[in-house]
Amino acid sequence: MIYRFLNSKIEEFTVKDAHRYNNYFPLTNKSGSLLSSISPNLAGDIKRDNDHFLTPPATTVDIKHNPLVRRDFFIKIKVSPTKEEIIRLSDPYPDKLQAGFFYHKITKYTKFIDIEILNFIPYDLDVEVMQIKVKNKSKKSLDIAACSAIPLYGRSEATLRDHRHVSSLLNRVDLTNDGILLRPTLLFNEEGHSLGETTYFCLANGQGSKIKGQFPTLEHFCGQGNLAKPDAIYKNQKSAKRKIDSFDGKETIAAFDFGNKKLKKGQKLNYIIGLGLVSGSAKKCQNKINNLFSKINNSTKVTKELVATKKYWQTTFGKIEFNFKDKDYNGWLKWVKAQPTLRKLFGCSFLPHFDYGKGGRGWRDLWQDALVLLHYEPKEAKKLIINSFAGIRLDGSNATIIKKDNSFLSDRNKISRVWSDHGIWPYLTLNSCLEQSKNISILTQQLPYFRDSHLMRSTRIDYGFNQKDFILRTTKNKIYKGSLLEHLLIQNLTSFFNVGSHNIIKLESADWNDALDMANDYGETVTFSFMYAHNLKGIIKFLKALKQKKSHLEILKELTFLLDTLKNPIDYNNFRQKQKRLKIYLEKTIEISGAKVKISIDDIITDLNKKYKHLSAWLLKKEWLDKGFFNGYYDNTGKRFGGKNKRKVQMMLAPQVFAIMSGVATKEQIKKIWQSANKYLKDKNKSFRLNTNFGAIYPELGRAFGFKYGDKENGAFFNHMIIMFSYALYKRGFIEEGNSVFNSLYKMMKSGPNTTYPQLPEYFNNQGQGLYSYLTGSASWYIHTLLKEKSK
């Protein structure tokens, strides 16, 4: 454990010589309208969304190796009449990091001066504050010259590789007394360019004084040198006092000449920088920027904003408190509690490890994070849960990305695909919501459906689709709405019938394991078939509660084809009959009249019960292996994946987790699963791996097995699945086993090999190092397990 908490009551921690570790830290405000990352070498990026990066996009490789993503600062000290020392703040010096909700303060110690660099985003402002305090610790006065060096980008992530130079030609800069304004003429996009309406800014002052001049382009600042040794610093180039024409159409940098200062023994200098972006007309942007900077342009104001920001976040996350004997554990939990909110604000794309997608939260991410948000944002979380059901299509699939305004996108990369597990998560979260609110009438709330060009579970494209609101309409062009319960039924009933040749629910494009993505034709997921059985039984519970208030439900007429036992039952043991019935339903719901029928709740309960019993019995009979665990998948050749293959045992953790959590696995089977998991998946002194080592790539199932074993979805210690394993064991009464799994995560977190800051990462690799920090579903399930099962 590289960090130490300041005290047992707060989340603030320190790290000695933080530059030795390749970590990053998130900064944002309460609305997520400005998103930043920062590291001990001051690297990271600042952006609003995927199309508006103030500084160049930064991956984990960039954090350590790319000077273009650093908020750099040079200090030149005249040590003697003939000798100068140049300090570059992004270079490694002995240091001490202090961080909390959500600020990052690192103090660097050099021979003559100590430098404290504070970065944070005020909780209610769209500006990142950077305050640099320089203290003379020598025994004599020092002549100090300072210059910032923060490369600005001012455009979309896409142009990092696509037309980087051409898009820089759009740059127009304005030099002010306080700093630099960058306003590109166009937002470059070959699908359709648009006028530039965003001003990117960096303003500053030094010890209350205006800047003396600027080096506004990389070309001007570096000269024949580079960002490590720029001519502006090492050859004493003269800074510009005003703009000249050649500054436009170039790569821009906020390189401010703060001039010379005499720093007496023990005296401090203070430099303040404000970074951000605003949109609107040029004049309105200027006014907004001036207003923002006026709130942070001296140290008193910075301190005031920092105090208010700490208080806001500490209050927000203080609505759930834990008090265990281990005070370090309590401090760590404060950060785990914060992670679902961070993912709500950042989505899954805007921290250095998460260098994919274009923003927004994924479908399953939304539902799982809401499990925790229900506890400290209950009204907002309840509203989010209800509204998110409107992302479901009539074919049982759903939009896969939810934007900050809670609108839906079909897919982050405009690919036609369906994840087979997506239908299970809404029920799980809704169940927690109903347990908390006791308001069963939520089930009858009327909601629209999502409609786009993807039909019949993305196997057909409607090329004539041209709606802009993505809301399902009837043949008479009226918005169709159905009850929340109807949405839930459609998700789970379509999946029940959507089976492959082994009568197991199809894998489709992938499931929870995104890397099982190469078996779209014939793959089947035993893993999530367990959970659809679980959901069918759970919906019966909802219906029984609802029956206390009403005897009948109005549902979409076409949905009755999937309630087959009421009029025209099929043989559930015959996969072809299931496929045929689903096809009829999918074709009938390409266009709908919107007609509804009344059906007895008792009849629906009877139908769902038959489906639940069939599916659970089938799984128990067909998928239990003599090795003492469940098979998980069928690959794209129709071959069973789990069990013994060429003298190797192939076992995956996920099928065991959901077999237990669903309630389908028997007590005796759980005992055998526990033995098998310890034998094949448990790593000594660590935790449980996602799968055994298959020793070869497996293109018949997915990209996962092309990864190095022990990383990501190929045999890593994947915390999300590990904590769900613990939850499942607790839920089924295996308390000792659940404790063993649960405790293994924190042990790995604080073990010697792991060098992350306090939080629960996505996974630990072979060496025990945590990767993919902050934006992970593991945190939601960890807190959910503490509150729902471990606390019992």
Side-chain angles (χ1 to χ4, degrees), residues 377-641:
E377 298 176 10
K379 289 184 179 179
E380 184 181 339
K382 180 182 172 183
K383 183 179 178 182
L384 175 67
I385 289 166
I386 293 171
N387 290 344
S388 295
F389 274 91
I392 296 170
R393 297 186 184 97
L394 274 189
D395 64 7
S397 66
N398 50 268
T400 63
I401 297 295
I402 296 85
K403 297 192 289 185
K404 279 185 181 175
D405 62 2
N406 293 328
S407 62
F408 303 101
L409 284 178
S410 173
D411 186 272
R412 61 163 55 100
N413 292 316
K414 299 181 180 179
I415 299 172
S416 296
R417 52 185 172 178
V418 175
W419 278 266
S420 55
D421 68 304
H422 277 186
I424 76 144
W425 307 108
Y427 165 80
L428 294 177
T429 305
L430 179 64
N431 186 51
S432 286
C433 181
L434 290 176
E435 285 178 352
Q436 184 185 86
S437 71
K438 311 298 182 185
N439 182 12
I440 200 71
S441 62
I442 290 173
L443 295 171
T444 59
Q445 188 161 332
Q446 300 292 302
L447 297 164
Y449 285 84
F450 184 68
R451 172 66 157 91
D452 60 359
S453 61
H454 300 274
L455 302 173
M456 299 185 70
R457 301 186 73 85
S458 288
T459 60
R460 187 184 298 180
I461 301 295
D462 178 3
Y463 292 102
F465 180 81
N466 58 8
Q467 284 179 215
K468 293 183 178 180
D469 60 8
F470 300 101
I471 296 175
L472 176 69
R473 285 175 165 77
T474 68
T475 50
K476 293 184 178 179
N477 202 35
K478 291 184 177 180
I479 292 175
Y480 174 78
K481 291 185 178 182
S483 68
L484 189 150
L485 182 59
E486 182 186 279
H487 287 68
L488 205 56
L489 285 168
I490 285 174
Q491 274 196 310
N492 288 274
L493 289 173
T494 51
S495 292
F496 174 82
F497 287 97
N498 189 32
V499 296
S501 62
H502 299 89
N503 209 12
I504 297 297
I505 292 169
K506 289 181 178 179
L507 178 58
E508 298 180 285
S509 302
D511 62 12
W512 172 90
N513 190 334
D514 293 323
L516 303 183
D517 58 350
M518 299 173 73
N520 199 41
D521 297 322
Y522 302 107
E524 297 170 66
T525 172
V526 176
T527 303
F528 283 94
S529 294
F530 283 113
M531 290 308 292
Y532 282 108
H534 168 270
N535 283 12
L536 290 170
K537 186 178 182 181
I539 295 170
I540 292 171
K541 178 185 72 174
F542 288 171
L543 288 165
K544 287 180 177 178
L546 192 60
K547 200 175 73 164
Q548 305 303 313
K549 294 190 173 185
K550 58 197 309 181
S551 61
H552 287 73
L553 281 180
E554 272 198 339
I555 63 171
L556 180 70
K557 181 181 178 181
E558 288 80 0
L559 185 53
T560 59
F561 285 96
L562 301 184
L563 296 169
D564 61 294
T565 64
L566 304 187
K567 287 186 178 180
N568 189 17
I570 65 168
D571 180 5
Y572 292 159
N573 294 319
N574 187 322
F575 74 92
R576 288 189 178 88
Q577 288 190 29
K578 281 187 180 177
Q579 291 174 343
K580 183 178 179 181
R581 182 55 60 95
L582 179 62
K583 186 179 180 183
I584 293 171
Y585 169 79
L586 294 179
E587 288 176 342
K588 285 184 175 292
T589 52
I590 291 174
E591 291 185 338
I592 60 167
S593 67
K596 295 185 178 184
V597 294
K598 271 191 174 183
I599 296 188
S600 160
I601 290 178
D602 280 331
D603 287 344
I604 300 174
I605 289 172
T606 299
D607 180 89
L608 297 186
N609 195 43
K610 288 177 180 177
K611 289 177 168 65
Y612 159 71
K613 287 183 176 179
H614 156 77
L615 184 52
S616 56
W618 185 275
L619 291 165
L620 286 172
K621 181 180 179 181
K622 301 288 186 178
E623 302 304 333
W624 178 253
L625 306 174
D626 57 12
K627 282 292 179 181
F629 56 86
F630 282 100
N631 170 46
Y633 297 91
Y634 291 89
D635 67 21
N636 213 34
T637 67
K639 180 182 175 183
R640 173 177 277 172
F641 183 63

Side-chain angles (χ1 to χ4, degrees), residues 34-47:
L34 192 64
L35 305 165
S36 297
S37 58
I38 191 166
S39 66
N41 67 349
L42 309 180
D45 54 30
I46 306 170
K47 62 274 173 186

